[in-house]
Structure formats: structure tokens, C-alpha cells
Amino acid sequence: MIRRGLRAAARLGHHGALPGGPYILPTFSLVSAFGSSMDSLVSRFCQEKTDLKNYALPNASWCPDMLNLYHEFLEKTKADGWIRLPSFKSNRNHIQGLKLPLVLTVSSDKSDCHIFTRCIKTEGQGYEYVIFFHPSKKKSVCLFQPGPYLEGPRGFAHGGSLAAMIDETFSKTAYLTGDGLFTLNLNTRFKNLIRMGSLAVLNVGVEKVEDQKLYISCVAQSTDQQTVYAKASGTFLQLQLEEDSSQYYTLCLQESLLPTALPTWDTPQSSGGCPGSNW
Amino acid sequence: MLRSCTAALRTLRALRGRREGASPAARDPVLARRWFSTEKVIPKDHALPNPSWSKDLRLLFDQFMKKCEDGSWERLPSYKNSKLVKEQLSQAQLFTRGYEDGLGFEYVIFYNDDEKRTVCLFQGGPYLQGVPGFLHGGAIATMIDAAVGMCAAIPGGIVMTANLNINFKRISAPFRWDSLCHRRAGIIW
């Protein structure tokens, strides 16, 4: 169990990836009593002022169904409480200023890491998707169009690509709802194949949060809701990210600010100076 | 999944070809005629070591190749496309083979016909990231689906994944999947 591994690793006192069972957690509870507020999580996640490329925007490969639904949900972001989530190349970009607990830090020189669902760069060839999130309802809708590089049976999307898209939508929803970070369980029941280039709509909702676990479900169906592609459920482990004090220290030095508000911290780790690289 | 059937049929043809000592084109005259006369298209078998493979992966690969010597185990070849002939209109390629060496899925599947069992050795690359530094759960799900699907398709014929239920135990580094077919698969709708 991931949580047993986390506690065991804390006793070992390592950090970085451990052979066989990496994790370490200090003695505090996995999620603090107050957790992270949803507003705080969402605002950090949805950085407006950024030079990063946002992949969750329409492009020429999007089919008419996808464009239409996209605009329909975009309208809902104005008044109905929906938020369009940006999608960057790596999850590191979504949580700048935060880091994994020290014991989960993995030293890596791979600066060209991509989140799995954004690894195929050519428009229309891989995952084309956008996620809309509704904080108060704890729901998400993902518009997903699989491209030819996701082929399984000829002309249809690989089942694994749909499972991955469901897991990714679960992941973002779980994180923004309540610090859900790691997938504990993913159960997917496939009903029908998705034709490549067509739209699948994933309706995701958080069922409950209990015992530091987040329970979430999904129905993937066609635009007209006549065809169900899959039903899925998942469980996520809640794990709160930490403030990246080293980044803050560097920023303070740059801005000639005195970090008087910071608690004591260890010597900031240096790993090439890339923000967010001290995971 | 039908994709499992497609992949399995390709693999079975290749296995029979290897056993009989003939290339796929030599056994299929139609296929041979359609190959370009000045160009011999030999599909690349991606289930073989390349420079991106870690020492652990190579070690396990060698161990299983030793097991293949007595015929009890077979290494399953793995190709990027379902067709050996170029098709100008199709850009499709098998999902798990659409990456440059070392960036995505590096894997090889071994099959034991007596035990109806497959073992998949899998190394995930930097394009399969989820939480920074770790593999995406969906990438792992994809690999499990591929390996288990192959296990079901080879003895069972046409199969389709009806349910995929994964309990994640630990966050991942290179690992080995061991799947065992417990029952005969059928067409499930």
C-alpha cells in the first residue's frame, strides 16, 4: 500500500527515489487539518500570466463537435461557475511555488519531461483535450478527441489511451478538489470503442472524501449521449504539496526582500536553478 | 480488445514465420508483390534492446531470452504499424510504439504457452510523466492493458477488454509485469 510505504520510508530518513519502495513521509498527517483551500489550489493551477504554451486551446484539428461543446462550456465559465483548466507540457508548470514533500523528491536531470497526455506534440495526432472544472459541484467535464497515434483496433482509439485520459481528468479534479495526488485504484469498464478523430465527453464527479482518500467516478460517452464508451471509478490519495521555500528564498534575494515571514528551513537545494525542479 | 487481436495475430504470424525459418513476405506472395521493387521494407521489431534500456531491463531481458532457448517461452515481436505496406492515407501507429527510443514505452513481452502466461518488462520514459519524477497512472494502465490483453488474445482469439481494474501499490521505476490467464477469453460486448 502506498501509504504504508510512505510511513516506512519516513523511518528510513532518505530522500529521493528509493529502490523498491520510494517514499517517505514525516510524522505529520498526510493532509493537514486545514488542507489547501480549493481557491488557493485553483488560482495557483490556473496561472493567467505565463509564457507557457497552453495546449487546451482550439486548433485546426478539433472536430466540429469538440469546437461547439468547447464554446458552450466557455460561455458557462462567465456566469455558471465553470473554470477552463489550462494544460501545460509538464505538471511542474502547474504548481510553481510548490513541491512534493522532500522525501518524495526525485533527483532527475530530465528537463524534457512531458506529462503523458501532452507528449505527442503534433496537433491532432495524439490527445486533443480540454478540461472544464466546477469547484462548488466538484465536477469536471473533459472533451477528448483521440488522434491516429493513439490507435488500438484499426480506426479506433486504444483502450489504454482512454484509461489514461480518464486517469488524467481524475487526477486534475482530485487535486483541485482536495489535494488528491496519487492514484490508488483505477477501475475502467469498457463499453464501446471510440472512433479516432471523434469526440468523447468525460463527465467526472467526486463521490466522497474519506479517510484521506478521494473517491471519484466517470462516464465517458458520445456527444449525443447515445453511446457510452466507458464507466470508471478511481481512488486518490490526498497528499498536500509543500511551499517551495528555496524558490521563495531565491526570489527574495532577487527582489532584495527580507524573508522574515519564513520559518527556518534547510539549506536550499540547488539543481540547476530551474523553478520547480526541486521535486 | 480488438487491438489485442490485431496485435496478437501479427505476433502469431511472426512467431510461425520464425519457427518455420521464413520471413513474413516470403510466405505471403500478395504481400511480397506489393512491396516496392527497389526497396525492401523490413518492419522494425521494437521489442529488442536499444541504447535507452537500463541495465536492469537488459538483465531481465537476457534472463528471459535464456528461458526461450528450450522453447517454453517465446519473445513476442512488436511493430509500430499494423500493416507492412505503406499506406499514404493512414498515419496511424500502435499507441505504445509511437515514441522515439527511450522517451515513451520501452517494453518486451514474453509468452509461455503451457502456462498461458505473459511477462512484460517495461521501462517508462520521460514522456510518460504524471506527478513530476514518476510515471503517469494512465501510462501504467496502458501497459497493463497491453500485456494482459496479449495474454488473453493469444490463446483465446478475438478478445476485447471489458474491465480493467488496477490497484496501484507503489510509484514506479522500471518494472516487470507478470500476468496469468486464468480463463479462456471470449468476445465480450
Side-chain angles (χ1 to χ4, degrees):
Chain A
M1 185 69 182
I2 290 182
R3 285 199 293 173
R4 282 202 296 273
L6 285 162
R7 284 192 285 270
R11 289 193 290 275
L12 290 172
H14 280 267
H15 56 86
L18 297 173
Y23 341 169
I24 314 162
L25 258 202
T27 52
F28 59 75
S29 61
L30 293 172
V31 175
S32 69
F34 299 101
S36 308
S37 75
M38 206 182 297
D39 288 342
S40 162
L41 287 170
V42 171
S43 65
R44 276 192 196 254
F45 191 92
C46 302
Q47 305 164 50
E48 293 297 332
K49 296 176 185 174
T50 175
D51 294 331
L52 297 166
K53 180 177 162 73
N54 181 2
Y55 289 89
L57 293 172
N59 61 60
S61 72
W62 285 25
C63 65
D65 281 346
M66 188 157 176
L67 283 168
N68 290 339
L69 264 182
Y70 172 81
H71 288 296
E72 197 177 302
F73 274 94
L74 206 57
E75 279 302 307
K76 295 185 185 187
T77 63
K78 294 174 185 171
D80 291 351
W82 287 89
I83 297 170
R84 183 193 58 186
L85 299 185
S87 179
F88 305 129
K89 190 184 83 166
S90 167
N91 272 330
R92 290 179 196 270
N93 301 135
H94 282 290
I95 36 185
Q96 294 199 24
L98 295 172
K99 62 177 183 176
L100 286 166
L102 185 63
V103 293
L104 287 174
T105 299
V106 177
S107 60
S108 170
D109 60 356
K110 296 192 186 299
S111 57
D112 195 28
C113 289
H114 290 63
I115 189 173
F116 178 43
T117 47
R118 292 295 180 201
C119 60
I120 299 168
K121 294 175 191 173
T122 312
E123 287 179 357
Q125 298 301 300
Y127 292 91
E128 290 293 338
Y129 69 95
V130 55
I131 301 174
F132 290 89
F133 174 63
H134 198 295
S136 59
K137 294 183 184 177
K138 297 182 183 176
K139 284 168 57 168
S140 288
V141 171
C142 174
L143 309 180
F144 169 45
Q145 177 185 295
Y149 283 15
L150 305 188
E151 186 179 67
R154 188 149 329 148
F156 296 91
H158 194 286
S161 71
L162 177 58
M165 192 68 257
I166 291 172
D167 183 54
E168 175 58 18
T169 311
F170 276 178
S171 168
K172 294 298 184 285
T173 309
Y175 172 70
L176 292 172
T177 301
D179 292 302
L181 204 60
F182 292 113
T183 316
L184 294 176
N185 171 266
L186 179 66
N187 187 0
T188 312
R189 299 173 293 286
F190 297 94
K191 307 291 182 188
N192 284 287
L193 297 169
I194 303 174
R195 189 170 291 282
M196 285 190 306
S198 68
L199 178 68
V201 181
L202 279 56
N203 286 289
V204 167
V206 173
E207 304 287 332
K208 64 178 178 180
V209 182
E210 188 179 272
D211 191 27
Q212 292 171 343
K213 280 188 262 186
L214 217 135
Y215 297 84
I216 195 165
S217 65
C218 169
V219 177
Q221 50 194 350
S222 58
T223 317
D224 59 8
Q225 301 178 16
Q226 296 300 304
T227 306
V228 175
Y229 296 122
K231 294 183 179 179
S233 58
T235 311
F236 277 71
L237 177 69
Q238 289 183 301
L239 182 63
Q240 196 174 345
L241 297 176
E242 298 175 348
E243 293 289 336
D244 189 351
S245 57
S246 62
Q247 185 180 347
Y248 179 68
Y249 179 72
T250 304
L251 179 63
C252 286
L253 290 178
Q254 289 170 350
E255 302 292 325
S256 301
L257 297 172
L258 295 172
T260 55
L262 279 181
T264 54
W265 67 93
D266 292 329
T267 304
Q269 297 173 28
S270 61
S271 63
C274 176
S277 62
N278 289 341
W279 288 82
Chain B
M1 212 40 151
L2 288 179
R3 96 180 108 58
S4 300
C5 172
T6 306
L9 288 175
R10 283 200 306 275
T11 301
L12 285 171
R13 278 197 293 269
L15 283 173
R16 289 190 198 112
R18 191 166 63 245
R19 287 195 196 113
E20 296 166 7
S23 71
R27 292 179 294 105
D28 189 331
V30 173
L31 199 58
R33 281 198 296 275
R34 293 176 72 185
W35 279 10
F36 294 105
S37 58
T38 56
E39 182 181 343
K40 190 175 182 184
V41 178
I42 302 174
K44 180 182 173 185
D45 181 355
H46 289 269
L48 290 169
N50 65 61
S52 73
W53 284 26
S54 68
K55 286 182 188 170
D56 285 343
L57 183 54
R58 283 177 187 269
L59 189 62
L60 280 170
F61 176 83
D62 291 338
Q63 285 175 4
F64 274 88
M65 286 305 287
K66 280 211 167 61
K67 290 176 192 269
C68 293
E69 287 171 4
D70 65 2
S72 59
W73 287 85
E74 293 266 8
R75 182 190 67 85
L76 303 185
S78 179
Y79 307 103
K80 180 179 284 196
N81 297 97
S82 57
K83 296 187 173 114
L84 296 173
V85 178
K86 291 181 187 178
E87 275 197 358
Q88 291 177 349
L89 296 179
S90 172
Q91 303 169 47
Q93 54 191 11
L94 184 61
F95 176 36
T96 49
R97 291 298 182 197
Y99 302 83
E100 292 175 24
D101 286 352
L103 293 181
F105 298 92
E106 290 297 333
Y107 68 97
V108 55
I109 300 177
F110 292 88
Y111 176 68
N112 185 312
D113 194 46
D114 292 333
E115 298 177 28
K116 298 292 181 281
R117 181 173 154 221
T118 58
V119 170
C120 174
L121 311 178
F122 165 47
Q123 175 184 296
Y127 279 25
L128 306 187
Q129 192 181 73
V131 172
F134 301 102
L135 286 177
H136 196 286
I140 299 170
T142 297
M143 203 66 258
I144 292 175
D145 188 35
V148 175
M150 188 67 73
C151 185
I154 292 176
I158 299 175
V159 295
M160 183 170 177
T161 310
N163 176 262
L164 186 65
N165 189 3
I166 304 168
N167 289 312
F168 294 87
K169 297 295 186 184
R170 48 176 60 159
I171 325 178
S172 314
F175 54 74
R176 154 183 159 177
W177 283 115
D178 201 328
S179 66
L180 181 64
C181 280
H182 290 281
R183 55 185 69 165
R184 188 175 175 79
I187 300 175
I188 301 170
W189 295 99

